[in-house]
Amino acid sequence: MSYKIACRDSGMDCAFCIESDDEKEVMKLARTHAADKHGMSVSDDDLRGLMQKPA
Ligand SMILES: [Zn+2]
């Protein structure tokens, strides 16, 4: 099990999903995606709220 963020979980109609063992990488890629594809800036807190953590 790894860290995971699904764009869909933020309420977007978007299939983008990131999964990695590196929490920082997941957050970085999610932030880049949100900015590039959705024109959104998201905070670390927002990303942590969306992130699924390893059990
Ligand atoms: Zn998206």
Side-chain angles (χ1 to χ4, degrees), residues 7 14 16 33 38:
C7 202
C14 177
F16 183 78
H33 170 81
H38 303 298

Side-chain angles (χ1 to χ4, degrees), residues 1 3 8 11-14 21 29-30 33-34 39 42 45 51 54-55:
M1 182 93 183
Y3 294 96
R8 195 185 306 276
M12 307 295 290
D13 183 15
C14 177
D21 290 333
L29 291 174
H33 170 81
V42 289
D45 282 349
M51 188 157 49

Side-chain angles (χ1 to χ4, degrees), residues 22-42:
D22 185 344
E23 179 180 16
K24 285 196 176 69
E25 184 183 14
V26 169
M27 291 178 69
K28 188 180 78 178
L29 291 174
R31 183 180 292 110
T32 301
H33 170 81
D36 286 356
K37 301 296 179 190
H38 303 298
M40 290 165 46
S41 77
V42 289

